Amino acid sequence: MEAWIYGGLAAAAAAAGLTYVQIRKRGGRKGKVTNLTAYRKLTQKCSYCKKKADKLIFYSNSEGQVVGLCKACKPKAERQNMLPI
């Protein structure tokens, strides 16, 4: 009877060990957090002229849509009374 108990404990320990190894292999739990320093290095396209720009200025229009504009398209946003974010 004791052999069954020890066998069950050994099986449970083995299952826990395998689960731990699989979690460590996948890199643990990764949330929805973005690394901002890596994200800022990316060049993005302007929402109006579609040219790649190192730095975009983000605006929100009256409908709540967010657009990223380069320095050349900034006057267009100001004429449309967009709010900077």
Side-chain angles (χ1 to χ4, degrees):
M1 182 105 168
E2 291 179 16
W4 288 97
I5 294 173
Y6 290 128
L9 289 175
L18 288 174
T19 303
Y20 176 77
V21 168
Q22 287 178 349
I23 289 173
R24 295 291 293 173
K25 187 189 293 186
R26 282 189 276 155
R29 209 172 240 234
K30 293 187 179 183
K32 297 182 180 180
V33 178
T34 302
N35 185 358
L36 288 179
T37 55
Y39 187 73
R40 287 183 182 139
K41 291 180 183 177
L42 298 175
T43 57
Q44 298 175 340
K45 291 183 178 181
C46 174
S47 296
Y48 284 166
C49 65
K50 305 298 183 197
K51 292 181 184 176
K52 288 188 177 183
D54 292 333
K55 187 175 180 183
L56 295 179
I57 304 166
F58 292 94
Y59 289 93
S60 174
N61 62 9
S62 60
E63 297 172 0
Q65 296 173 335
V66 177
V67 293
L69 303 178
C70 62
K71 289 182 181 180
C73 296
K74 183 179 176 181
K76 293 179 186 179
E78 291 174 353
R79 273 186 259 134
Q80 294 177 3
N81 293 330
M82 292 182 146
L83 300 172
I85 296 178

